Amino acid sequence: MTLTFTPEEVESARAIVRATVPPTPQYAWPLLRERLGITVWVKHENHTPAGAFKVRGGLTYFDALVRNEPNVAGVISATRGNHGQSVGWAARRYGIPATIVVPHGNSVEKNAAMRALGVTLLEHGDEFQSAREHAIALAAERGLHMVPSYHRELVRGVMTYWLEFFESFAPGDEPDVVYVPIGLGSGFCAAAAARAFTSAHSKLIGVVSAHATSFLDSYRAGRVIAAPVSTRLADGMACRIAEDEALQVILREAEDIVAVSDDEVAEAMRVLFADTHNVAEGAGAAALAAAMQQRERLQGRSAGVALTGGNVDSDVFARVLTNLK
């Protein structure tokens, strides 16, 4: 299965997203080149107005929603943070009330950011899947539209940042390998769709947390396999049950999937701050963590990584920078 979009769908997505989100920068940082021994292009989705790539998908999703359901009374969704901010941004833009369910113990600062966007925030359960199931139940009970974490319209918006990435290179000059973090799959599927649309030749490698391996296990098995979640740092990849629709795309389009530990993610967060002075949340640093893990096999090649978000709590980032457990 391959997600494809028509030129009209792509240009519409660009227009919708650019009304709120300007193109984000990407750089081949010299210090990263020295550290890894190769050219590493970093796409800075931490520079969006919401601090992460997800805001793009919310904008296209809500554009379609108001056209298809003009009388929608309100929306609800579940998140660990960045998807919720995406919903909050888009709901505010279209004047639609939004409720977001998060698990207990969720990022304090992501919760604050969502409340600042005007959403009603509810806490339920101790991990994402519990929050998601509660949101689905509330949607049925209250007559709200449930915004999923994976959907074709979300992918269409997210694809705009990968179009920016691939179209910045002359044909044939794009990086040999691109590392893409996988939470529930919209980011990877968007990269695959953009690669197809631009005829780029980069190999795509998915990245999961070593402490949340559902997509890795499912990729190896060829079917959805649930896996426990114990990551302390990469909450954006804390997926217990892989999305089957996304998995089908990943099975076809991924060169491989690799797992990175919390310790490797923390080191990548420190490296990004030292070498680029950019703040990355755990999932946001996962792509670089994978490139660092595979640096030996990358010699003589070039790589691209997505810094997918910088929304990390201050106390967490302080502990990471000082290398405290």
Side-chain angles (χ1 to χ4, degrees), residues 16 20-21 50 54-66 72 75 82-98 100 117-119 147 154:
I16 293 164
T20 301
V21 182
K54 293 265 188 183
V55 66
R56 297 172 181 263
L59 293 167
T60 48
Y61 186 92
F62 272 72
D63 177 78
L65 176 63
V66 297
V72 61
V75 300
N82 289 336
H83 174 66
Q85 288 188 66
S86 171
V87 170
W89 268 89
R92 185 173 68 171
R93 180 175 178 82
Y94 288 94
I96 300 172
I100 300 294
L117 289 168
V119 309
V147 181
L154 295 174

PDB file of all heavy atoms in Angstrom, residues 16 20-21 50 54-66 72 75 82-98 100 117-119 147 154:
ATOM      1  N   ILE A  16      -2.950  25.683   2.601  1.00  0.00           N
ATOM      2  CA  ILE A  16      -3.567  25.648   3.920  1.00  0.00           C
ATOM      3  C   ILE A  16      -2.516  25.785   5.013  1.00  0.00           C
ATOM      4  O   ILE A  16      -2.666  26.565   5.963  1.00  0.00           O
ATOM      5  CB  ILE A  16      -4.366  24.340   4.098  1.00  0.00           C
ATOM      6  CG1 ILE A  16      -5.572  24.317   3.158  1.00  0.00           C
ATOM      7  CG2 ILE A  16      -4.812  24.157   5.554  1.00  0.00           C
ATOM      8  CD1 ILE A  16      -6.181  22.932   2.996  1.00  0.00           C
ATOM      9  N   THR A  20      -0.494  29.474   8.022  1.00  0.00           N
ATOM     10  CA  THR A  20      -0.181  29.484   9.456  1.00  0.00           C
ATOM     11  C   THR A  20       1.275  29.152   9.750  1.00  0.00           C
ATOM     12  O   THR A  20       1.875  29.706  10.666  1.00  0.00           O
ATOM     13  CB  THR A  20      -1.085  28.470  10.198  1.00  0.00           C
ATOM     14  OG1 THR A  20      -2.452  28.820   9.994  1.00  0.00           O
ATOM     15  CG2 THR A  20      -0.789  28.442  11.696  1.00  0.00           C
ATOM     16  N   VAL A  21       1.854  28.245   8.963  1.00  0.00           N
ATOM     17  CA  VAL A  21       3.199  27.725   9.241  1.00  0.00           C
ATOM     18  C   VAL A  21       4.133  28.041   8.073  1.00  0.00           C
ATOM     19  O   VAL A  21       3.982  27.458   6.994  1.00  0.00           O
ATOM     20  CB  VAL A  21       3.156  26.196   9.460  1.00  0.00           C
ATOM     21  CG1 VAL A  21       4.548  25.658   9.790  1.00  0.00           C
ATOM     22  CG2 VAL A  21       2.173  25.847  10.568  1.00  0.00           C
ATOM     23  N   ALA A  50       3.874  25.750  16.746  1.00  0.00           N
ATOM     24  CA  ALA A  50       3.528  24.859  17.862  1.00  0.00           C
ATOM     25  C   ALA A  50       4.738  24.081  18.365  1.00  0.00           C
ATOM     26  O   ALA A  50       4.605  23.235  19.248  1.00  0.00           O
ATOM     27  CB  ALA A  50       2.425  23.893  17.441  1.00  0.00           C
ATOM     28  N   LYS A  54       3.435  18.315  13.975  1.00  0.00           N
ATOM     29  CA  LYS A  54       2.042  17.860  13.955  1.00  0.00           C
ATOM     30  C   LYS A  54       1.057  18.961  13.570  1.00  0.00           C
ATOM     31  O   LYS A  54      -0.015  18.679  13.025  1.00  0.00           O
ATOM     32  CB  LYS A  54       1.662  17.308  15.321  1.00  0.00           C
ATOM     33  CG  LYS A  54       2.389  16.029  15.723  1.00  0.00           C
ATOM     34  CD  LYS A  54       1.580  14.825  15.387  1.00  0.00           C
ATOM     35  CE  LYS A  54       2.199  13.551  15.952  1.00  0.00           C
ATOM     36  NZ  LYS A  54       1.448  12.363  15.566  1.00  0.00           N
ATOM     37  N   VAL A  55       1.388  20.212  13.854  1.00  0.00           N
ATOM     38  CA  VAL A  55       0.454  21.302  13.587  1.00  0.00           C
ATOM     39  C   VAL A  55       0.031  21.337  12.123  1.00  0.00           C
ATOM     40  O   VAL A  55      -1.095  21.716  11.785  1.00  0.00           O
ATOM     41  CB  VAL A  55       1.060  22.657  14.019  1.00  0.00           C
ATOM     42  CG1 VAL A  55       2.269  23.031  13.181  1.00  0.00           C
ATOM     43  CG2 VAL A  55       0.011  23.759  13.971  1.00  0.00           C
ATOM     44  N   ARG A  56       0.909  20.898  11.236  1.00  0.00           N
ATOM     45  CA  ARG A  56       0.594  20.906   9.805  1.00  0.00           C
ATOM     46  C   ARG A  56      -0.599  19.998   9.493  1.00  0.00           C
ATOM     47  O   ARG A  56      -1.498  20.360   8.723  1.00  0.00           O
ATOM     48  CB  ARG A  56       1.813  20.440   9.011  1.00  0.00           C
ATOM     49  CG  ARG A  56       3.041  21.337   9.126  1.00  0.00           C
ATOM     50  CD  ARG A  56       4.227  20.680   8.452  1.00  0.00           C
ATOM     51  NE  ARG A  56       5.466  21.449   8.524  1.00  0.00           N
ATOM     52  CZ  ARG A  56       5.914  22.256   7.560  1.00  0.00           C
ATOM     53  NH1 ARG A  56       5.223  22.394   6.451  1.00  0.00           N
ATOM     54  NH2 ARG A  56       7.059  22.906   7.706  1.00  0.00           N
ATOM     55  N   GLY A  57      -0.593  18.810  10.077  1.00  0.00           N
ATOM     56  CA  GLY A  57      -1.664  17.864   9.809  1.00  0.00           C
ATOM     57  C   GLY A  57      -3.003  18.302  10.368  1.00  0.00           C
ATOM     58  O   GLY A  57      -4.051  18.072   9.752  1.00  0.00           O
ATOM     59  N   GLY A  58      -2.983  18.945  11.523  1.00  0.00           N
ATOM     60  CA  GLY A  58      -4.230  19.431  12.093  1.00  0.00           C
ATOM     61  C   GLY A  58      -4.914  20.443  11.192  1.00  0.00           C
ATOM     62  O   GLY A  58      -6.146  20.452  11.053  1.00  0.00           O
ATOM     63  N   LEU A  59      -4.133  21.279  10.554  1.00  0.00           N
ATOM     64  CA  LEU A  59      -4.701  22.312   9.682  1.00  0.00           C
ATOM     65  C   LEU A  59      -5.418  21.706   8.481  1.00  0.00           C
ATOM     66  O   LEU A  59      -6.518  22.128   8.126  1.00  0.00           O
ATOM     67  CB  LEU A  59      -3.600  23.270   9.236  1.00  0.00           C
ATOM     68  CG  LEU A  59      -2.999  24.131  10.362  1.00  0.00           C
ATOM     69  CD1 LEU A  59      -1.711  24.795   9.897  1.00  0.00           C
ATOM     70  CD2 LEU A  59      -4.008  25.171  10.835  1.00  0.00           C
ATOM     71  N   THR A  60      -4.800  20.724   7.837  1.00  0.00           N
ATOM     72  CA  THR A  60      -5.467  20.102   6.684  1.00  0.00           C
ATOM     73  C   THR A  60      -6.641  19.235   7.125  1.00  0.00           C
ATOM     74  O   THR A  60      -7.667  19.164   6.436  1.00  0.00           O
ATOM     75  CB  THR A  60      -4.473  19.258   5.857  1.00  0.00           C
ATOM     76  OG1 THR A  60      -3.712  18.408   6.739  1.00  0.00           O
ATOM     77  CG2 THR A  60      -3.522  20.152   5.077  1.00  0.00           C
ATOM     78  N   TYR A  61      -6.510  18.578   8.269  1.00  0.00           N
ATOM     79  CA  TYR A  61      -7.607  17.747   8.759  1.00  0.00           C
ATOM     80  C   TYR A  61      -8.845  18.600   9.017  1.00  0.00           C
ATOM     81  O   TYR A  61      -9.967  18.240   8.621  1.00  0.00           O
ATOM     82  CB  TYR A  61      -7.201  17.009  10.036  1.00  0.00           C
ATOM     83  CG  TYR A  61      -8.244  16.023  10.510  1.00  0.00           C
ATOM     84  CD1 TYR A  61      -8.205  14.691  10.099  1.00  0.00           C
ATOM     85  CD2 TYR A  61      -9.284  16.423  11.347  1.00  0.00           C
ATOM     86  CE1 TYR A  61      -9.178  13.790  10.510  1.00  0.00           C
ATOM     87  CE2 TYR A  61     -10.248  15.528  11.760  1.00  0.00           C
ATOM     88  CZ  TYR A  61     -10.198  14.211  11.340  1.00  0.00           C
ATOM     89  OH  TYR A  61     -11.161  13.315  11.748  1.00  0.00           O
ATOM     90  N   PHE A  62      -8.663  19.728   9.692  1.00  0.00           N
ATOM     91  CA  PHE A  62      -9.808  20.565  10.038  1.00  0.00           C
ATOM     92  C   PHE A  62     -10.383  21.267   8.810  1.00  0.00           C
ATOM     93  O   PHE A  62     -11.595  21.522   8.753  1.00  0.00           O
ATOM     94  CB  PHE A  62      -9.423  21.576  11.122  1.00  0.00           C
ATOM     95  CG  PHE A  62      -9.591  21.055  12.515  1.00  0.00           C
ATOM     96  CD1 PHE A  62      -8.719  20.105  13.020  1.00  0.00           C
ATOM     97  CD2 PHE A  62     -10.625  21.484  13.321  1.00  0.00           C
ATOM     98  CE1 PHE A  62      -8.864  19.602  14.297  1.00  0.00           C
ATOM     99  CE2 PHE A  62     -10.790  20.987  14.605  1.00  0.00           C
ATOM    100  CZ  PHE A  62      -9.906  20.040  15.100  1.00  0.00           C
ATOM    101  N   ASP A  63      -9.549  21.578   7.844  1.00  0.00           N
ATOM    102  CA  ASP A  63     -10.061  22.145   6.605  1.00  0.00           C
ATOM    103  C   ASP A  63     -11.042  21.175   5.951  1.00  0.00           C
ATOM    104  O   ASP A  63     -12.126  21.576   5.496  1.00  0.00           O
ATOM    105  CB  ASP A  63      -8.913  22.462   5.642  1.00  0.00           C
ATOM    106  CG  ASP A  63      -9.404  22.990   4.306  1.00  0.00           C
ATOM    107  OD1 ASP A  63      -9.766  24.172   4.228  1.00  0.00           O
ATOM    108  OD2 ASP A  63      -9.430  22.196   3.341  1.00  0.00           O
ATOM    109  N   ALA A  64     -10.671  19.900   5.919  1.00  0.00           N
ATOM    110  CA  ALA A  64     -11.565  18.882   5.360  1.00  0.00           C
ATOM    111  C   ALA A  64     -12.791  18.674   6.251  1.00  0.00           C
ATOM    112  O   ALA A  64     -13.911  18.483   5.758  1.00  0.00           O
ATOM    113  CB  ALA A  64     -10.814  17.565   5.175  1.00  0.00           C
ATOM    114  N   LEU A  65     -12.583  18.713   7.569  1.00  0.00           N
ATOM    115  CA  LEU A  65     -13.683  18.477   8.501  1.00  0.00           C
ATOM    116  C   LEU A  65     -14.801  19.505   8.335  1.00  0.00           C
ATOM    117  O   LEU A  65     -15.985  19.144   8.263  1.00  0.00           O
ATOM    118  CB  LEU A  65     -13.162  18.497   9.940  1.00  0.00           C
ATOM    119  CG  LEU A  65     -14.207  18.363  11.048  1.00  0.00           C
ATOM    120  CD1 LEU A  65     -14.916  17.015  10.970  1.00  0.00           C
ATOM    121  CD2 LEU A  65     -13.557  18.552  12.425  1.00  0.00           C
ATOM    122  N   VAL A  66     -14.453  20.786   8.259  1.00  0.00           N
ATOM    123  CA  VAL A  66     -15.490  21.815   8.183  1.00  0.00           C
ATOM    124  C   VAL A  66     -16.195  21.786   6.825  1.00  0.00           C
ATOM    125  O   VAL A  66     -17.343  22.233   6.708  1.00  0.00           O
ATOM    126  CB  VAL A  66     -14.920  23.214   8.475  1.00  0.00           C
ATOM    127  CG1 VAL A  66     -14.380  23.283   9.893  1.00  0.00           C
ATOM    128  CG2 VAL A  66     -13.844  23.617   7.477  1.00  0.00           C
ATOM    129  N   VAL A  72     -20.386  20.514  12.687  1.00  0.00           N
ATOM    130  CA  VAL A  72     -19.728  19.791  13.778  1.00  0.00           C
ATOM    131  C   VAL A  72     -19.778  20.630  15.059  1.00  0.00           C
ATOM    132  O   VAL A  72     -19.445  21.815  15.068  1.00  0.00           O
ATOM    133  CB  VAL A  72     -18.267  19.435  13.402  1.00  0.00           C
ATOM    134  CG1 VAL A  72     -17.428  20.676  13.141  1.00  0.00           C
ATOM    135  CG2 VAL A  72     -17.631  18.567  14.481  1.00  0.00           C
ATOM    136  N   VAL A  75     -14.942  18.770  18.878  1.00  0.00           N
ATOM    137  CA  VAL A  75     -14.041  17.657  18.595  1.00  0.00           C
ATOM    138  C   VAL A  75     -13.395  17.194  19.890  1.00  0.00           C
ATOM    139  O   VAL A  75     -13.336  17.919  20.885  1.00  0.00           O
ATOM    140  CB  VAL A  75     -12.947  18.049  17.579  1.00  0.00           C
ATOM    141  CG1 VAL A  75     -13.554  18.491  16.261  1.00  0.00           C
ATOM    142  CG2 VAL A  75     -12.030  19.134  18.154  1.00  0.00           C
ATOM    143  N   ASN A  82       1.901  16.779  21.280  1.00  0.00           N
ATOM    144  CA  ASN A  82       2.037  17.527  20.045  1.00  0.00           C
ATOM    145  C   ASN A  82       0.806  17.405  19.147  1.00  0.00           C
ATOM    146  O   ASN A  82       0.397  18.369  18.501  1.00  0.00           O
ATOM    147  CB  ASN A  82       3.296  17.105  19.297  1.00  0.00           C
ATOM    148  CG  ASN A  82       4.553  17.581  20.010  1.00  0.00           C
ATOM    149  OD1 ASN A  82       4.523  18.549  20.758  1.00  0.00           O
ATOM    150  ND2 ASN A  82       5.659  16.884  19.789  1.00  0.00           N
ATOM    151  N   HIS A  83       0.199  16.232  19.093  1.00  0.00           N
ATOM    152  CA  HIS A  83      -1.053  16.072  18.352  1.00  0.00           C
ATOM    153  C   HIS A  83      -2.136  16.945  18.974  1.00  0.00           C
ATOM    154  O   HIS A  83      -2.937  17.575  18.265  1.00  0.00           O
ATOM    155  CB  HIS A  83      -1.473  14.605  18.335  1.00  0.00           C
ATOM    156  CG  HIS A  83      -2.812  14.354  17.735  1.00  0.00           C
ATOM    157  ND1 HIS A  83      -3.090  14.564  16.395  1.00  0.00           N
ATOM    158  CD2 HIS A  83      -3.975  13.898  18.293  1.00  0.00           C
ATOM    159  CE1 HIS A  83      -4.353  14.260  16.151  1.00  0.00           C
ATOM    160  NE2 HIS A  83      -4.912  13.849  17.279  1.00  0.00           N
ATOM    161  N   GLY A  84      -2.159  17.020  20.300  1.00  0.00           N
ATOM    162  CA  GLY A  84      -3.144  17.846  20.985  1.00  0.00           C
ATOM    163  C   GLY A  84      -2.972  19.323  20.678  1.00  0.00           C
ATOM    164  O   GLY A  84      -3.956  20.061  20.523  1.00  0.00           O
ATOM    165  N   GLN A  85      -1.712  19.767  20.580  1.00  0.00           N
ATOM    166  CA  GLN A  85      -1.481  21.161  20.195  1.00  0.00           C
ATOM    167  C   GLN A  85      -1.920  21.394  18.754  1.00  0.00           C
ATOM    168  O   GLN A  85      -2.441  22.461  18.417  1.00  0.00           O
ATOM    169  CB  GLN A  85      -0.013  21.520  20.362  1.00  0.00           C
ATOM    170  CG  GLN A  85       0.417  21.639  21.816  1.00  0.00           C
ATOM    171  CD  GLN A  85       1.814  22.185  21.948  1.00  0.00           C
ATOM    172  OE1 GLN A  85       2.085  23.336  21.609  1.00  0.00           O
ATOM    173  NE2 GLN A  85       2.732  21.345  22.421  1.00  0.00           N
ATOM    174  N   SER A  86      -1.705  20.409  17.902  1.00  0.00           N
ATOM    175  CA  SER A  86      -2.158  20.511  16.521  1.00  0.00           C
ATOM    176  C   SER A  86      -3.670  20.676  16.462  1.00  0.00           C
ATOM    177  O   SER A  86      -4.192  21.553  15.752  1.00  0.00           O
ATOM    178  CB  SER A  86      -1.738  19.259  15.740  1.00  0.00           C
ATOM    179  OG  SER A  86      -2.329  19.223  14.463  1.00  0.00           O
ATOM    180  N   VAL A  87      -4.392  19.849  17.213  1.00  0.00           N
ATOM    181  CA  VAL A  87      -5.845  19.955  17.276  1.00  0.00           C
ATOM    182  C   VAL A  87      -6.246  21.309  17.850  1.00  0.00           C
ATOM    183  O   VAL A  87      -7.162  21.976  17.348  1.00  0.00           O
ATOM    184  CB  VAL A  87      -6.434  18.805  18.113  1.00  0.00           C
ATOM    185  CG1 VAL A  87      -7.924  19.029  18.385  1.00  0.00           C
ATOM    186  CG2 VAL A  87      -6.218  17.473  17.402  1.00  0.00           C
ATOM    187  N   GLY A  88      -5.566  21.748  18.893  1.00  0.00           N
ATOM    188  CA  GLY A  88      -5.886  23.027  19.512  1.00  0.00           C
ATOM    189  C   GLY A  88      -5.702  24.202  18.573  1.00  0.00           C
ATOM    190  O   GLY A  88      -6.546  25.109  18.496  1.00  0.00           O
ATOM    191  N   TRP A  89      -4.580  24.210  17.842  1.00  0.00           N
ATOM    192  CA  TRP A  89      -4.328  25.280  16.879  1.00  0.00           C
ATOM    193  C   TRP A  89      -5.418  25.324  15.815  1.00  0.00           C
ATOM    194  O   TRP A  89      -5.969  26.385  15.497  1.00  0.00           O
ATOM    195  CB  TRP A  89      -2.970  25.067  16.201  1.00  0.00           C
ATOM    196  CG  TRP A  89      -1.844  25.754  16.891  1.00  0.00           C
ATOM    197  CD1 TRP A  89      -1.064  25.245  17.893  1.00  0.00           C
ATOM    198  CD2 TRP A  89      -1.352  27.070  16.651  1.00  0.00           C
ATOM    199  NE1 TRP A  89      -0.112  26.161  18.282  1.00  0.00           N
ATOM    200  CE2 TRP A  89      -0.267  27.284  17.537  1.00  0.00           C
ATOM    201  CE3 TRP A  89      -1.707  28.087  15.765  1.00  0.00           C
ATOM    202  CZ2 TRP A  89       0.455  28.478  17.563  1.00  0.00           C
ATOM    203  CZ3 TRP A  89      -0.981  29.283  15.794  1.00  0.00           C
ATOM    204  CH2 TRP A  89       0.067  29.472  16.683  1.00  0.00           C
ATOM    205  N   ALA A  90      -5.718  24.167  15.243  1.00  0.00           N
ATOM    206  CA  ALA A  90      -6.694  24.126  14.152  1.00  0.00           C
ATOM    207  C   ALA A  90      -8.105  24.407  14.652  1.00  0.00           C
ATOM    208  O   ALA A  90      -8.872  25.129  13.999  1.00  0.00           O
ATOM    209  CB  ALA A  90      -6.628  22.769  13.461  1.00  0.00           C
ATOM    210  N   ALA A  91      -8.470  23.862  15.814  1.00  0.00           N
ATOM    211  CA  ALA A  91      -9.810  24.093  16.354  1.00  0.00           C
ATOM    212  C   ALA A  91     -10.016  25.576  16.631  1.00  0.00           C
ATOM    213  O   ALA A  91     -11.098  26.124  16.352  1.00  0.00           O
ATOM    214  CB  ALA A  91     -10.007  23.263  17.620  1.00  0.00           C
ATOM    215  N   ARG A  92      -8.996  26.233  17.174  1.00  0.00           N
ATOM    216  CA  ARG A  92      -9.120  27.673  17.440  1.00  0.00           C
ATOM    217  C   ARG A  92      -9.261  28.455  16.136  1.00  0.00           C
ATOM    218  O   ARG A  92     -10.056  29.381  16.041  1.00  0.00           O
ATOM    219  CB  ARG A  92      -7.899  28.168  18.226  1.00  0.00           C
ATOM    220  CG  ARG A  92      -7.997  29.628  18.642  1.00  0.00           C
ATOM    221  CD  ARG A  92      -6.876  30.037  19.559  1.00  0.00           C
ATOM    222  NE  ARG A  92      -5.583  30.048  18.882  1.00  0.00           N
ATOM    223  CZ  ARG A  92      -4.478  30.549  19.432  1.00  0.00           C
ATOM    224  NH1 ARG A  92      -4.498  31.028  20.673  1.00  0.00           N
ATOM    225  NH2 ARG A  92      -3.334  30.539  18.760  1.00  0.00           N
ATOM    226  N   ARG A  93      -8.498  28.042  15.129  1.00  0.00           N
ATOM    227  CA  ARG A  93      -8.549  28.729  13.833  1.00  0.00           C
ATOM    228  C   ARG A  93      -9.942  28.631  13.209  1.00  0.00           C
ATOM    229  O   ARG A  93     -10.417  29.573  12.572  1.00  0.00           O
ATOM    230  CB  ARG A  93      -7.503  28.127  12.887  1.00  0.00           C
ATOM    231  CG  ARG A  93      -7.457  28.773  11.496  1.00  0.00           C
ATOM    232  CD  ARG A  93      -6.316  28.207  10.681  1.00  0.00           C
ATOM    233  NE  ARG A  93      -6.283  28.767   9.343  1.00  0.00           N
ATOM    234  CZ  ARG A  93      -5.741  29.931   9.013  1.00  0.00           C
ATOM    235  NH1 ARG A  93      -5.185  30.673   9.952  1.00  0.00           N
ATOM    236  NH2 ARG A  93      -5.762  30.369   7.767  1.00  0.00           N
ATOM    237  N   TYR A  94     -10.611  27.489  13.393  1.00  0.00           N
ATOM    238  CA  TYR A  94     -11.917  27.281  12.782  1.00  0.00           C
ATOM    239  C   TYR A  94     -13.080  27.508  13.754  1.00  0.00           C
ATOM    240  O   TYR A  94     -14.235  27.294  13.400  1.00  0.00           O
ATOM    241  CB  TYR A  94     -11.995  25.871  12.192  1.00  0.00           C
ATOM    242  CG  TYR A  94     -11.155  25.711  10.949  1.00  0.00           C
ATOM    243  CD1 TYR A  94      -9.859  25.217  11.018  1.00  0.00           C
ATOM    244  CD2 TYR A  94     -11.656  26.082   9.703  1.00  0.00           C
ATOM    245  CE1 TYR A  94      -9.078  25.084   9.866  1.00  0.00           C
ATOM    246  CE2 TYR A  94     -10.887  25.956   8.555  1.00  0.00           C
ATOM    247  CZ  TYR A  94      -9.595  25.458   8.649  1.00  0.00           C
ATOM    248  OH  TYR A  94      -8.834  25.335   7.511  1.00  0.00           O
ATOM    249  N   GLY A  95     -12.776  27.930  14.982  1.00  0.00           N
ATOM    250  CA  GLY A  95     -13.821  28.255  15.943  1.00  0.00           C
ATOM    251  C   GLY A  95     -14.602  27.066  16.440  1.00  0.00           C
ATOM    252  O   GLY A  95     -15.806  27.164  16.703  1.00  0.00           O
ATOM    253  N   ILE A  96     -13.942  25.927  16.606  1.00  0.00           N
ATOM    254  CA  ILE A  96     -14.606  24.695  17.038  1.00  0.00           C
ATOM    255  C   ILE A  96     -14.120  24.326  18.443  1.00  0.00           C
ATOM    256  O   ILE A  96     -12.908  24.244  18.672  1.00  0.00           O
ATOM    257  CB  ILE A  96     -14.298  23.537  16.062  1.00  0.00           C
ATOM    258  CG1 ILE A  96     -14.800  23.885  14.656  1.00  0.00           C
ATOM    259  CG2 ILE A  96     -14.927  22.236  16.546  1.00  0.00           C
ATOM    260  CD1 ILE A  96     -14.361  22.887  13.602  1.00  0.00           C
ATOM    261  N   PRO A  97     -15.028  24.087  19.395  1.00  0.00           N
ATOM    262  CA  PRO A  97     -14.594  23.661  20.736  1.00  0.00           C
ATOM    263  C   PRO A  97     -13.839  22.334  20.670  1.00  0.00           C
ATOM    264  O   PRO A  97     -14.217  21.428  19.929  1.00  0.00           O
ATOM    265  CB  PRO A  97     -15.917  23.508  21.504  1.00  0.00           C
ATOM    266  CG  PRO A  97     -16.923  24.296  20.726  1.00  0.00           C
ATOM    267  CD  PRO A  97     -16.502  24.212  19.290  1.00  0.00           C
ATOM    268  N   ALA A  98     -12.776  22.232  21.473  1.00  0.00           N
ATOM    269  CA  ALA A  98     -11.945  21.023  21.449  1.00  0.00           C
ATOM    270  C   ALA A  98     -11.684  20.522  22.858  1.00  0.00           C
ATOM    271  O   ALA A  98     -11.399  21.307  23.773  1.00  0.00           O
ATOM    272  CB  ALA A  98     -10.623  21.299  20.741  1.00  0.00           C
ATOM    273  N   ILE A 100      -9.300  17.560  24.844  1.00  0.00           N
ATOM    274  CA  ILE A 100      -8.144  16.686  24.672  1.00  0.00           C
ATOM    275  C   ILE A 100      -7.984  15.823  25.923  1.00  0.00           C
ATOM    276  O   ILE A 100      -8.019  16.330  27.049  1.00  0.00           O
ATOM    277  CB  ILE A 100      -6.848  17.496  24.442  1.00  0.00           C
ATOM    278  CG1 ILE A 100      -6.959  18.359  23.184  1.00  0.00           C
ATOM    279  CG2 ILE A 100      -5.643  16.562  24.368  1.00  0.00           C
ATOM    280  CD1 ILE A 100      -7.058  17.575  21.895  1.00  0.00           C
ATOM    281  N   LEU A 117      -4.185  27.172  24.236  1.00  0.00           N
ATOM    282  CA  LEU A 117      -4.865  27.219  22.945  1.00  0.00           C
ATOM    283  C   LEU A 117      -6.387  27.137  23.086  1.00  0.00           C
ATOM    284  O   LEU A 117      -7.112  27.178  22.094  1.00  0.00           O
ATOM    285  CB  LEU A 117      -4.366  26.074  22.049  1.00  0.00           C
ATOM    286  CG  LEU A 117      -2.935  26.233  21.543  1.00  0.00           C
ATOM    287  CD1 LEU A 117      -2.429  24.929  20.931  1.00  0.00           C
ATOM    288  CD2 LEU A 117      -2.832  27.373  20.540  1.00  0.00           C
ATOM    289  N   GLY A 118      -6.855  27.007  24.330  1.00  0.00           N
ATOM    290  CA  GLY A 118      -8.287  27.027  24.580  1.00  0.00           C
ATOM    291  C   GLY A 118      -8.955  25.671  24.658  1.00  0.00           C
ATOM    292  O   GLY A 118     -10.186  25.593  24.737  1.00  0.00           O
ATOM    293  N   VAL A 119      -8.171  24.586  24.655  1.00  0.00           N
ATOM    294  CA  VAL A 119      -8.807  23.269  24.727  1.00  0.00           C
ATOM    295  C   VAL A 119      -9.202  22.946  26.171  1.00  0.00           C
ATOM    296  O   VAL A 119      -8.629  23.475  27.125  1.00  0.00           O
ATOM    297  CB  VAL A 119      -7.876  22.151  24.188  1.00  0.00           C
ATOM    298  CG1 VAL A 119      -7.331  22.486  22.818  1.00  0.00           C
ATOM    299  CG2 VAL A 119      -6.732  21.873  25.159  1.00  0.00           C
ATOM    300  N   VAL A 147     -11.065  13.102  16.629  1.00  0.00           N
ATOM    301  CA  VAL A 147      -9.945  13.335  15.717  1.00  0.00           C
ATOM    302  C   VAL A 147      -8.918  12.224  15.943  1.00  0.00           C
ATOM    303  O   VAL A 147      -8.356  12.120  17.044  1.00  0.00           O
ATOM    304  CB  VAL A 147      -9.285  14.710  15.958  1.00  0.00           C
ATOM    305  CG1 VAL A 147      -8.137  14.928  14.971  1.00  0.00           C
ATOM    306  CG2 VAL A 147     -10.315  15.824  15.830  1.00  0.00           C
ATOM    307  N   LEU A 154      -4.380  14.003   7.934  1.00  0.00           N
ATOM    308  CA  LEU A 154      -3.233  14.388   8.763  1.00  0.00           C
ATOM    309  C   LEU A 154      -1.938  14.207   7.979  1.00  0.00           C
ATOM    310  O   LEU A 154      -1.048  15.069   7.998  1.00  0.00           O
ATOM    311  CB  LEU A 154      -3.203  13.558  10.049  1.00  0.00           C
ATOM    312  CG  LEU A 154      -4.358  13.751  11.026  1.00  0.00           C
ATOM    313  CD1 LEU A 154      -4.250  12.744  12.166  1.00  0.00           C
ATOM    314  CD2 LEU A 154      -4.392  15.167  11.577  1.00  0.00           C
TER     315      LEU A 154
END
